[in-house]
């Protein structure tokens, strides 16, 4: 190595040696230490966001979908056996009380009616003859030209003939009534909802062949979950709106709650009687019912705070003193669109983690991010200044 490079090399070696000396050697012993890096800036610490649980007034609406039905439905049936000869209405037709809906073949009934009429004519003829005989015997006995037994026999024959006429009239009335049974009438005005027969089909007496929705009040029928019937809305008035036209509304009250739960859907049928039914709310129209629950105090948290622990809903609780988190099971009262209402598990004033829960484990040290971190720093500074 040339002699010209030795001074430069010595200077470089001296600089390296000075750099290797401890830093404390270059400063006085009582100089303050460098500040530590805050937890929020440490990449190994999980950052979370928290909210303070508070109780507030919770008022929820019940929104259900149902349809319009008649309060009274009638199963229409023939009152005699026979073969259907004619059907005069279709499903959806409006019928009056005395309108003929269908007709059976009246062969047997007409034959019975003819026999009853003939029997009446015969009985009336015998009655006429008995009257003539009785009047003759009555005149003869007054003149002493007949015996008392003959008079009594004539009187007895008159009474028997009169009874025979009365019986024949009753039989004729029965035959006429049986003939009228071949015509199917609803007896009440309404709309035909369904039918289960065709022309040429043989039907039995009492077999329901049509279902008729009677004219009159209407119900909005909803299928609701059983838990809702245990805590019904505080306002007994249910607002019903036509789904196809939200401008068509009606008010109603709960008229009937089914005592059984549907095995297939697990719901309970609730019928809301409408005070006045708008014409647009026809049978089968889809409607929306709204009811309002009474206001109550409860803890409301955002959806992001919800966690699952041991197959149960839970949340993470932040301990500001220790800077750690712990998981706690909660009881859900209601799930909202963007929040959850708790029935129990969290007390007012507790800090609940709402962001970063997917990285947490029980007892883990965390740092607060954003505004929460600045609030904690301010509180810590205030505490040190007080000391």
């Amino acid at each position: 190595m040339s002699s010209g490079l030795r001074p430069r090399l010595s200077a470089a070696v001296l600089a390296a040696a000075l750099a290797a000396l401890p830093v404390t050697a270059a400063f006085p012993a009582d100089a303050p230490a460098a500040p530590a890096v805050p937890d929020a800036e440490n990449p190994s610490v999980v950052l979370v966001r928290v909210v303070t649980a508070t109780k507030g007034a919770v008022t929820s609406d019940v929104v259900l979908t149902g349809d319009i039905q008649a309060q009274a439905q009638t199963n229409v049936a023939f009152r005699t056996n026979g073969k259907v000869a004619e059907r005069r209405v279709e499903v959806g037709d409006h019928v009056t009380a005395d309108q003929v809906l269908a007709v059976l073949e009246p062969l047997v009934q007409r034959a019975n009616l003819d026999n009853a009429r003939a029997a009446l004519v015969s009985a009336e003829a015998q009655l006429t003859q008995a009257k003539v005989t009785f009047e003759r015997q009555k005149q003869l006995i007054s003149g002493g030209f007949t015996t008392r037994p003959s008079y009594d026999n004539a009187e007895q024959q008159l009474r028997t003939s009169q009874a025979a006429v009365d019986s024949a009239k009753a039989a004729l009335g029965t035959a006429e009534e049986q003939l009228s049974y071949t015509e199917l009438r609803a007896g009440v005005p309404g709309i035909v909802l369904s039918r289960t027969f065709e022309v040429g089909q043989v039907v039995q007496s009492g077999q329901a062949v049509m279902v008729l929705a009677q004219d009159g009040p209407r119900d909005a029928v909803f299928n609701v979950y059983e838990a809702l019937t245990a805590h019904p809305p505080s306002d007994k008035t249910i607002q019903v709106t036509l789904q196809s036209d939200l401008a068509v509304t009606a008010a109603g009250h709960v008229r009937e709650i089914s005592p059984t739960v549907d095995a297939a859907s697990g719901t309970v049928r609730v019928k809301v009687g409408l005070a006045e039914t708008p014409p647009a709310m026809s049978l089968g129209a889809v409607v929306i019912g709204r009811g309002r629950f009474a206001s109550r105090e409860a803890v409301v948290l955002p959806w992001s705070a919800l966690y699952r622990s041991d197959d149960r809903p839970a949340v993470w609780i932040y301990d500001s003193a220790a800077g750690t988190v712990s998981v706690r099971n909660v009881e859900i009262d209601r799930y909202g669109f963007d929040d959850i209402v708790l029935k129990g598990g969290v007390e007012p004033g507790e800090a609940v983690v709402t962001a970063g829960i997917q990285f947490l484990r029980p007892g883990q040290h965390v740092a607060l991010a954003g505004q929460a971190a600045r609030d904690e720093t301010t509180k810590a500074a205030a505490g040190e200044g007080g000391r």
Side-chain angles (χ1 to χ4, degrees):
M1 182 179 298
S2 63
S3 58
L5 296 176
R6 286 195 184 100
R8 295 180 182 179
L9 181 59
S10 299
V13 172
L14 180 59
L18 291 175
L21 292 177
V23 177
T24 54
F27 299 94
D30 56 350
V37 178
D39 287 345
E41 299 178 6
N42 190 343
S44 63
V45 175
V46 176
L47 299 180
V48 297
R49 295 183 185 275
V50 300
V51 295
T52 302
T54 58
K55 275 192 174 182
V58 177
T59 302
S60 58
D61 291 341
V62 183
V63 181
L64 301 170
T65 303
D67 62 341
I68 299 297
Q69 297 183 14
Q71 286 192 4
Q73 294 185 2
T74 302
N75 292 326
V76 184
F78 286 100
R79 301 175 66 179
T80 186
N81 305 334
K83 183 179 180 180
V84 179
E86 186 180 356
R87 175 171 50 81
R88 301 182 180 179
V89 295
E90 294 289 348
V91 175
D93 291 348
H94 184 273
V95 299
T96 60
D98 295 330
Q99 181 177 344
V100 178
L101 310 181
V103 178
L104 297 179
E105 291 182 354
L107 300 179
V108 176
Q109 288 78 10
R110 286 191 181 279
N112 294 337
L113 179 60
D114 293 341
N115 291 336
R117 287 173 177 171
L120 177 60
V121 172
S122 176
E124 288 177 343
Q126 292 180 5
L127 176 61
T128 301
Q129 182 63 33
K131 286 181 178 180
V132 172
T133 302
F134 176 72
E135 290 296 333
R136 184 183 302 112
Q137 290 294 325
K138 185 178 180 181
Q139 294 176 359
L140 292 175
I141 198 170
S142 62
F145 299 105
T146 186
T147 61
R148 189 68 185 184
S150 297
Y151 175 82
D152 292 341
N153 289 338
E155 185 180 11
Q156 181 65 30
Q157 185 63 34
L158 176 62
R159 293 178 179 177
T160 302
S161 298
Q162 183 65 53
V165 170
D166 294 339
S167 177
K169 288 182 178 180
L172 178 61
T174 301
E176 291 175 344
E177 187 175 4
Q178 290 293 328
L179 179 61
S180 69
Y181 290 167
T182 60
E183 295 180 343
L184 181 64
R185 302 174 189 270
V188 292
I191 299 175
V192 179
L193 295 181
S194 64
R195 60 175 178 83
T196 58
F197 74 102
E198 294 292 344
V199 175
Q201 180 179 344
V202 176
V203 296
Q204 301 297 320
S205 173
Q207 174 187 347
V209 295
M210 281 188 180
V211 178
L212 192 71
Q214 297 184 20
D215 290 345
R218 295 289 186 253
D219 283 339
V221 181
F222 304 96
N223 293 322
V224 305
Y225 290 103
E226 184 180 11
L228 186 59
T229 61
H231 302 284
S234 59
D235 189 357
K236 302 301 181 182
T237 301
I238 306 298
Q239 297 296 328
V240 179
T241 306
L242 186 64
Q243 187 183 47
S244 59
D245 187 357
L246 300 182
V248 179
T249 61
H253 293 78
V254 176
R255 188 180 66 85
E256 178 183 319
I257 299 178
S258 175
T260 60
V261 179
D262 185 84
S265 62
T267 57
V268 177
R269 174 162 292 191
V270 176
K271 296 181 179 180
V272 176
L274 302 181
E276 294 183 3
T277 307
M281 289 187 181
S282 58
L283 289 176
V286 180
V287 293
I288 301 173
R290 298 179 183 271
R292 183 175 293 274
F293 283 100
S295 178
R296 65 188 187 280
E297 296 289 326
V299 174
V300 181
L301 296 176
W303 264 99
S304 57
L306 188 59
Y307 184 72
R308 192 170 187 85
S309 175
D310 297 332
D311 290 333
R312 293 181 57 190
V315 296
W316 288 93
I317 303 297
Y318 172 70
D319 185 353
S320 59
T324 58
V325 292
S326 60
V327 66
R328 183 186 300 173
N329 291 327
V330 295
E331 187 176 359
I332 305 296
D333 179 49
R334 179 180 59 83
Y335 293 93
F337 292 103
D338 55 0
D339 56 21
I340 54 175
V341 180
L342 301 186
K343 185 180 295 184
V346 176
E347 297 297 328
E350 293 184 309
V352 181
V353 180
T354 60
I357 62 175
Q358 65 271 27
F359 305 110
L360 301 181
R361 63 180 184 275
Q364 181 177 1
H365 287 270
V366 298
L368 303 184
Q371 183 63 39
R374 289 192 293 271
D375 293 344
E376 288 296 317
T377 303
T378 303
K379 292 179 181 178
E384 291 179 359
R387 288 193 296 269

mmCIF file of all heavy atoms in Angstrom, residues 330-354:
data_model
loop_
_atom_site.group_PDB
_atom_site.id
_atom_site.type_symbol
_atom_site.label_atom_id
_atom_site.label_comp_id
_atom_site.label_asym_id
_atom_site.label_seq_id
_atom_site.Cartn_x
_atom_site.Cartn_y
_atom_site.Cartn_z
ATOM 1 N N VAL A 330 -73.500 -13.456 25.441
ATOM 2 C CA VAL A 330 -74.596 -12.511 25.611
ATOM 3 C C VAL A 330 -75.889 -13.170 25.153
ATOM 4 O O VAL A 330 -75.881 -14.186 24.458
ATOM 5 C CB VAL A 330 -74.351 -11.214 24.804
ATOM 6 C CG1 VAL A 330 -73.142 -10.467 25.342
ATOM 7 C CG2 VAL A 330 -74.187 -11.522 23.319
ATOM 8 N N GLU A 331 -76.999 -12.566 25.541
ATOM 9 C CA GLU A 331 -78.323 -13.034 25.133
ATOM 10 C C GLU A 331 -78.930 -11.988 24.211
ATOM 11 O O GLU A 331 -79.040 -10.818 24.574
ATOM 12 C CB GLU A 331 -79.214 -13.254 26.351
ATOM 13 C CG GLU A 331 -80.540 -13.906 26.026
ATOM 14 C CD GLU A 331 -81.347 -14.196 27.277
ATOM 15 O OE1 GLU A 331 -80.855 -13.896 28.390
ATOM 16 O OE2 GLU A 331 -82.475 -14.707 27.139
ATOM 17 N N ILE A 332 -79.297 -12.420 23.014
ATOM 18 C CA ILE A 332 -79.823 -11.509 21.996
ATOM 19 C C ILE A 332 -81.332 -11.380 22.156
ATOM 20 O O ILE A 332 -82.051 -12.375 22.260
ATOM 21 C CB ILE A 332 -79.485 -12.002 20.576
ATOM 22 C CG1 ILE A 332 -77.968 -12.222 20.440
ATOM 23 C CG2 ILE A 332 -79.974 -11.010 19.534
ATOM 24 C CD1 ILE A 332 -77.156 -10.981 20.574
ATOM 25 N N ASP A 333 -81.779 -10.134 22.163
ATOM 26 C CA ASP A 333 -83.224 -9.883 22.213
ATOM 27 C C ASP A 333 -83.810 -9.754 20.816
ATOM 28 O O ASP A 333 -84.876 -10.278 20.534
ATOM 29 C CB ASP A 333 -83.503 -8.617 23.023
ATOM 30 C CG ASP A 333 -84.985 -8.298 23.091
ATOM 31 O OD1 ASP A 333 -85.767 -9.217 23.411
ATOM 32 O OD2 ASP A 333 -85.364 -7.150 22.823
ATOM 33 N N ARG A 334 -83.101 -9.059 19.933
ATOM 34 C CA ARG A 334 -83.617 -8.842 18.582
ATOM 35 C C ARG A 334 -82.463 -8.514 17.653
ATOM 36 O O ARG A 334 -81.502 -7.848 18.035
ATOM 37 C CB ARG A 334 -84.623 -7.693 18.571
ATOM 38 C CG ARG A 334 -85.206 -7.375 17.201
ATOM 39 C CD ARG A 334 -86.182 -6.228 17.294
ATOM 40 N NE ARG A 334 -85.572 -5.018 17.822
ATOM 41 C CZ ARG A 334 -84.874 -4.154 17.080
ATOM 42 N NH1 ARG A 334 -84.683 -4.393 15.807
ATOM 43 N NH2 ARG A 334 -84.360 -3.078 17.640
ATOM 44 N N TYR A 335 -82.553 -9.025 16.425
ATOM 45 C CA TYR A 335 -81.591 -8.698 15.391
ATOM 46 C C TYR A 335 -82.187 -7.620 14.493
ATOM 47 O O TYR A 335 -83.280 -7.790 13.937
ATOM 48 C CB TYR A 335 -81.250 -9.930 14.546
ATOM 49 C CG TYR A 335 -80.507 -11.006 15.299
ATOM 50 C CD1 TYR A 335 -81.188 -12.046 15.913
ATOM 51 C CD2 TYR A 335 -79.119 -10.976 15.395
ATOM 52 C CE1 TYR A 335 -80.505 -13.040 16.606
ATOM 53 C CE2 TYR A 335 -78.427 -11.963 16.079
ATOM 54 C CZ TYR A 335 -79.129 -12.997 16.683
ATOM 55 O OH TYR A 335 -78.446 -13.969 17.374
ATOM 56 N N GLY A 336 -81.477 -6.502 14.355
ATOM 57 C CA GLY A 336 -81.926 -5.427 13.486
ATOM 58 C C GLY A 336 -81.215 -5.466 12.158
ATOM 59 O O GLY A 336 -80.449 -6.388 11.850
ATOM 60 N N PHE A 337 -81.478 -4.453 11.334
ATOM 61 C CA PHE A 337 -80.841 -4.392 10.022
ATOM 62 C C PHE A 337 -79.342 -4.127 10.137
ATOM 63 O O PHE A 337 -78.542 -4.694 9.399
ATOM 64 C CB PHE A 337 -81.504 -3.317 9.167
ATOM 65 C CG PHE A 337 -82.909 -3.648 8.776
ATOM 66 C CD1 PHE A 337 -83.981 -3.041 9.414
ATOM 67 C CD2 PHE A 337 -83.178 -4.573 7.783
ATOM 68 C CE1 PHE A 337 -85.282 -3.344 9.062
ATOM 69 C CE2 PHE A 337 -84.475 -4.891 7.426
ATOM 70 C CZ PHE A 337 -85.520 -4.280 8.065
ATOM 71 N N ASP A 338 -78.928 -3.237 11.054
ATOM 72 C CA ASP A 338 -77.521 -2.911 11.203
ATOM 73 C C ASP A 338 -77.074 -2.924 12.658
ATOM 74 O O ASP A 338 -75.999 -2.418 12.981
ATOM 75 C CB ASP A 338 -77.225 -1.543 10.585
ATOM 76 C CG ASP A 338 -78.126 -0.450 11.158
ATOM 77 O OD1 ASP A 338 -78.959 -0.784 12.027
ATOM 78 O OD2 ASP A 338 -77.994 0.706 10.735
ATOM 79 N N ASP A 339 -77.898 -3.468 13.546
ATOM 80 C CA ASP A 339 -77.504 -3.534 14.952
ATOM 81 C C ASP A 339 -78.171 -4.730 15.610
ATOM 82 O O ASP A 339 -78.997 -5.412 15.004
ATOM 83 C CB ASP A 339 -77.880 -2.236 15.679
ATOM 84 C CG ASP A 339 -79.372 -1.906 15.556
ATOM 85 O OD1 ASP A 339 -80.166 -2.823 15.269
ATOM 86 O OD2 ASP A 339 -79.742 -0.741 15.750
ATOM 87 N N ILE A 340 -77.778 -4.984 16.860
ATOM 88 C CA ILE A 340 -78.367 -6.054 17.655
ATOM 89 C C ILE A 340 -78.781 -5.469 18.997
ATOM 90 O O ILE A 340 -78.101 -4.596 19.544
ATOM 91 C CB ILE A 340 -77.382 -7.228 17.857
ATOM 92 C CG1 ILE A 340 -76.069 -6.728 18.451
ATOM 93 C CG2 ILE A 340 -77.152 -7.989 16.579
ATOM 94 C CD1 ILE A 340 -75.090 -7.845 18.796
ATOM 95 N N VAL A 341 -79.899 -5.939 19.511
ATOM 96 C CA VAL A 341 -80.401 -5.505 20.814
ATOM 97 C C VAL A 341 -80.161 -6.639 21.798
ATOM 98 O O VAL A 341 -80.593 -7.768 21.562
ATOM 99 C CB VAL A 341 -81.894 -5.152 20.749
ATOM 100 C CG1 VAL A 341 -82.397 -4.710 22.122
ATOM 101 C CG2 VAL A 341 -82.136 -4.060 19.716
ATOM 102 N N LEU A 342 -79.460 -6.341 22.890
ATOM 103 C CA LEU A 342 -79.105 -7.354 23.864
ATOM 104 C C LEU A 342 -80.155 -7.426 24.965
ATOM 105 O O LEU A 342 -80.677 -6.408 25.427
ATOM 106 C CB LEU A 342 -77.738 -7.044 24.484
ATOM 107 C CG LEU A 342 -76.545 -6.961 23.526
ATOM 108 C CD1 LEU A 342 -75.256 -6.783 24.318
ATOM 109 C CD2 LEU A 342 -76.465 -8.194 22.644
ATOM 110 N N LYS A 343 -80.421 -8.661 25.384
ATOM 111 C CA LYS A 343 -81.295 -8.879 26.526
ATOM 112 C C LYS A 343 -80.484 -8.967 27.813
ATOM 113 O O LYS A 343 -80.986 -8.689 28.910
ATOM 114 C CB LYS A 343 -82.111 -10.149 26.325
ATOM 115 C CG LYS A 343 -83.152 -10.400 27.405
ATOM 116 C CD LYS A 343 -83.921 -11.685 27.130
ATOM 117 C CE LYS A 343 -84.733 -11.573 25.854
ATOM 118 N NZ LYS A 343 -85.570 -12.784 25.633
ATOM 119 N N GLY A 344 -79.222 -9.341 27.692
ATOM 120 C CA GLY A 344 -78.360 -9.445 28.863
ATOM 121 C C GLY A 344 -76.951 -9.827 28.460
ATOM 122 O O GLY A 344 -76.682 -10.239 27.329
ATOM 123 N N GLY A 345 -75.991 -9.675 29.402
ATOM 124 C CA GLY A 345 -74.603 -10.051 29.158
ATOM 125 C C GLY A 345 -73.641 -8.888 29.189
ATOM 126 O O GLY A 345 -72.465 -9.069 29.487
ATOM 127 N N VAL A 346 -74.101 -7.682 28.876
ATOM 128 C CA VAL A 346 -73.253 -6.494 28.853
ATOM 129 C C VAL A 346 -73.933 -5.419 29.696
ATOM 130 O O VAL A 346 -75.116 -5.131 29.509
ATOM 131 C CB VAL A 346 -73.021 -5.987 27.421
ATOM 132 C CG1 VAL A 346 -72.221 -4.685 27.439
ATOM 133 C CG2 VAL A 346 -72.307 -7.037 26.588
ATOM 134 N N GLU A 347 -73.158 -4.823 30.596
ATOM 135 C CA GLU A 347 -73.666 -3.765 31.448
ATOM 136 C C GLU A 347 -73.299 -2.400 30.874
ATOM 137 O O GLU A 347 -72.279 -2.256 30.190
ATOM 138 C CB GLU A 347 -73.101 -3.886 32.871
ATOM 139 C CG GLU A 347 -73.503 -5.159 33.580
ATOM 140 C CD GLU A 347 -74.995 -5.258 33.776
ATOM 141 O OE1 GLU A 347 -75.636 -4.191 33.936
ATOM 142 O OE2 GLU A 347 -75.539 -6.385 33.775
ATOM 143 N N PRO A 348 -74.113 -1.386 31.126
ATOM 144 C CA PRO A 348 -73.785 -0.037 30.652
ATOM 145 C C PRO A 348 -72.436 0.428 31.206
ATOM 146 O O PRO A 348 -72.108 0.191 32.358
ATOM 147 C CB PRO A 348 -74.941 0.820 31.185
ATOM 148 C CG PRO A 348 -76.066 -0.144 31.370
ATOM 149 C CD PRO A 348 -75.432 -1.433 31.777
ATOM 150 N N GLY A 349 -71.644 1.101 30.372
ATOM 151 C CA GLY A 349 -70.329 1.585 30.756
ATOM 152 C C GLY A 349 -69.191 0.682 30.334
ATOM 153 O O GLY A 349 -68.037 1.115 30.332
ATOM 154 N N GLU A 350 -69.457 -0.567 29.994
ATOM 155 C CA GLU A 350 -68.407 -1.474 29.558
ATOM 156 C C GLU A 350 -68.032 -1.181 28.111
ATOM 157 O O GLU A 350 -68.878 -0.794 27.295
ATOM 158 C CB GLU A 350 -68.838 -2.927 29.710
ATOM 159 C CG GLU A 350 -69.007 -3.370 31.162
ATOM 160 C CD GLU A 350 -69.341 -4.836 31.277
ATOM 161 O OE1 GLU A 350 -70.279 -5.295 30.593
ATOM 162 O OE2 GLU A 350 -68.655 -5.538 32.038
ATOM 163 N N ALA A 351 -66.730 -1.391 27.807
ATOM 164 C CA ALA A 351 -66.219 -1.151 26.464
ATOM 165 C C ALA A 351 -66.289 -2.450 25.674
ATOM 166 O O ALA A 351 -65.756 -3.477 26.090
ATOM 167 C CB ALA A 351 -64.780 -0.638 26.513
ATOM 168 N N VAL A 352 -66.949 -2.403 24.519
ATOM 169 C CA VAL A 352 -67.150 -3.580 23.668
ATOM 170 C C VAL A 352 -66.372 -3.375 22.378
ATOM 171 O O VAL A 352 -66.459 -2.313 21.742
ATOM 172 C CB VAL A 352 -68.643 -3.800 23.376
ATOM 173 C CG1 VAL A 352 -68.839 -5.034 22.501
ATOM 174 C CG2 VAL A 352 -69.427 -3.937 24.675
ATOM 175 N N VAL A 353 -65.603 -4.377 21.994
ATOM 176 C CA VAL A 353 -64.803 -4.304 20.776
ATOM 177 C C VAL A 353 -65.732 -4.435 19.572
ATOM 178 O O VAL A 353 -66.552 -5.356 19.494
ATOM 179 C CB VAL A 353 -63.738 -5.408 20.754
ATOM 180 C CG1 VAL A 353 -62.910 -5.333 19.471
ATOM 181 C CG2 VAL A 353 -62.839 -5.296 21.972
ATOM 182 N N THR A 354 -65.579 -3.544 18.591
ATOM 183 C CA THR A 354 -66.410 -3.572 17.391
ATOM 184 C C THR A 354 -65.608 -3.795 16.122
ATOM 185 O O THR A 354 -66.193 -4.023 15.068
ATOM 186 C CB THR A 354 -67.185 -2.257 17.253
ATOM 187 O OG1 THR A 354 -66.251 -1.168 17.160
ATOM 188 C CG2 THR A 354 -68.106 -2.052 18.440
#
